[in-house]
């Protein structure tokens, strides 16, 4: 499949998707989001892929939804087409996704990063939800995921004023996993993704599902859900292999079975 707005490559067991509209700071138009969905479908269906990396350029992860494309939209049209719902494909990805964020992650860019499971930020990263300055509000989950990530006070200030966070602030507030020098971002993201991709895929997918369940349910139900998944993993050959490897003091070799 040929892509016009993203670059797609495989590196070992890691699928790498690079947002690539350099002239528009990777502004997220409909064509890009459709291509992202197709790439995600491909990697999800590929048994050789255990983890994904989503990244952009050094200047911009993505500067938001494409404002030129949105400018003429109307309420009846956005409602009928359920505008932005196709973006949720990333949040529905079952394999883990590491966001490697450098430069601007604004509006929909920040929202895409927050749909990923781990955010690694370069020291030049800037996170923000500036939609309010355009007379709109975040539309791809920003007001919800940001609030869960950094709390009401900080999310409210960002959503109401459009204030952006430096990478250091985003780290301190708990929005990102950690900050690394720009020059090391891609290598560090690959290292994290490669580590995950070499683990047992069933346990990785279940661990992701279990953490995400914490956002959807009560503590008691979440713990019950986790317990069932934990018990289910004792039906896998990888659990036998992982524990045998520990006891025999060797590294484990998982078969995703
Ligand atoms: N949509 C469309 N084009 C965009 C864009 C966007 N979100 N962001 C940047 N661009 C384009 C610019 O129009 C410009 O194109 P031209 O050269 O053809 O004029 C090019 O990218 C470079 O941008 P700038 O010249 O503005 O670069 P800068 O360094 O001076 O500023 C910036 C960088 C601060 C990120 C600025 O571009 C900016 O404020 N962009 C918009 C950010 C924004 O408001 N994002 C939210 C969008 S709404 C949204 O995302 C809704 C949602 O919830 C999904």
């Amino acid at each position: 499949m040929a892509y016009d707005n993203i670059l797609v490559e495989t590196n070992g067991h890691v699928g790498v998707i690079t947002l690539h509209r350099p002239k528009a700071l990777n502004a997220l138009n409909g064509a890009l989001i459709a291509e992202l969905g197709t790439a995600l479908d491909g990697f999800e269906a590929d048994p050789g892929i255990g983890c994904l990396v989503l990244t952009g350029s050094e200047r911009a992860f993505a500067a938001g939804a494409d404002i030129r494309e949105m400018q003429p939209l109307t309420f009846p049209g956005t409602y009928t087409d359920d505008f932005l719902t196709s973006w949720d494909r990333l949040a529905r990805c079952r394999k883990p996704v590491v966001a490697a964020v450098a430069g601007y992650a604004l509006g929909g860019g920040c929202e895409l990063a927050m749909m990923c499971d781990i955010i690694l930020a370069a020291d030049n990263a800037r996170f923000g939800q500036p939609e309010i300055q355009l007379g709109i509000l975040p539309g791809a989950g920003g007001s919800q995921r940001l609030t869960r990530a950094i709390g009401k006070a900080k999310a409210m200030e960002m959503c109401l004023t459009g204030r952006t966070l430096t990478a250091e602030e985003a780290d301190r507030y708990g929005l990102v996993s950690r900050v690394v020098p720009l020059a090391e971002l891609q290598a560090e993201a690959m290292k994290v993704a490669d580590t995950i991709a070499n683990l047992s895929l069933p346990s990785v997918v279940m661990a992701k599902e279990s953490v995400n369940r914490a956002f959807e349910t009560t503590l008691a139900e979440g713990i019950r859900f986790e317990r069932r998944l934990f018990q289910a993993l004792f039906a896998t050959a990888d659990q036998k292999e992982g524990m045998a490897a520990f006891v025999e003091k060797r590294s484990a070799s998982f078969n995703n079975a």
Side-chain angles (χ1 to χ4, degrees):
M1 158 103 197
Y3 296 101
D4 296 324
N5 302 284
I6 59 174
L7 308 173
V8 178
E9 59 191 317
T10 298
N11 189 335
H13 297 294
V14 177
V16 182
I17 302 173
T18 305
L19 306 172
H20 189 62
R21 287 189 74 205
K23 288 186 184 147
L25 297 182
N26 293 334
L28 304 158
N29 61 9
L32 185 153
I33 294 296
E35 290 181 9
L36 178 60
T38 303
L40 290 171
D41 288 346
F43 284 138
E44 289 256 67
D46 184 343
I49 295 295
C51 190
L52 310 185
V53 170
L54 180 64
T55 192
S57 69
E58 291 196 349
R59 193 166 164 223
F61 178 75
D66 191 312
I67 298 169
R68 289 174 204 281
E69 195 177 68
M70 283 189 294
Q71 191 180 4
L73 298 185
T74 63
F75 168 66
T78 55
Y79 183 78
T80 310
D81 298 344
D82 209 3
F83 180 55
L84 295 188
T85 292
S86 57
W87 291 44
D88 296 342
R89 174 67 188 86
L90 178 58
R92 287 200 317 275
C93 192
R94 300 188 77 223
K95 292 177 180 173
V97 186
V98 177
V101 177
Y104 297 112
L106 301 179
C110 187
E111 291 170 306
L112 272 198
M114 290 191 291
M115 288 181 202
C116 299
D117 304 302
I118 296 172
I119 304 179
L120 292 187
D123 46 18
N124 75 337
R126 295 288 179 275
F127 296 86
Q129 299 290 162
E131 290 89 343
I132 203 77
Q133 294 164 355
L134 299 167
I136 56 170
L137 80 159
S143 65
Q144 305 303 299
R145 291 195 178 91
L146 190 63
T147 306
R148 282 166 168 77
I150 68 174
K152 174 180 164 179
K154 290 178 166 50
M156 199 64 101
E157 187 187 0
M158 288 175 70
C159 290
L160 290 183
T161 69
R163 181 172 101 81
T164 58
L165 302 182
T166 62
E168 190 274 320
E169 284 175 304
D171 190 20
R172 190 152 33 92
Y173 297 173
L175 180 60
V176 306
S177 166
R178 58 199 157 89
V179 181
V180 299
L182 175 60
E184 294 167 25
L185 178 69
Q186 298 304 332
E188 205 53 44
M190 273 309 300
K191 205 160 106 186
V192 172
D194 199 53
T195 299
I196 295 170
N198 283 298
L199 298 170
S200 169
L201 188 59
S203 66
V204 163
V205 173
M206 285 190 200
K208 169 170 173 165
E209 197 180 359
S210 193
V211 172
N212 280 333
R213 187 54 75 104
F215 293 102
E216 309 285 350
T217 191
T218 62
L219 180 61
E221 281 307 317
I223 288 172
R224 192 198 313 274
F225 182 80
E226 177 198 76
R227 191 72 34 86
R228 293 292 169 261
L229 293 181
F230 174 79
Q231 292 161 349
L233 284 170
F234 285 80
T236 64
D238 283 345
Q239 173 267 327
K240 303 288 177 284
E241 165 61 11
M243 294 195 181
F246 176 82
V247 170
E248 293 160 17
K249 300 189 188 300
R250 59 174 173 82
S251 26
S253 173
F254 294 117
N255 287 310
N256 298 337

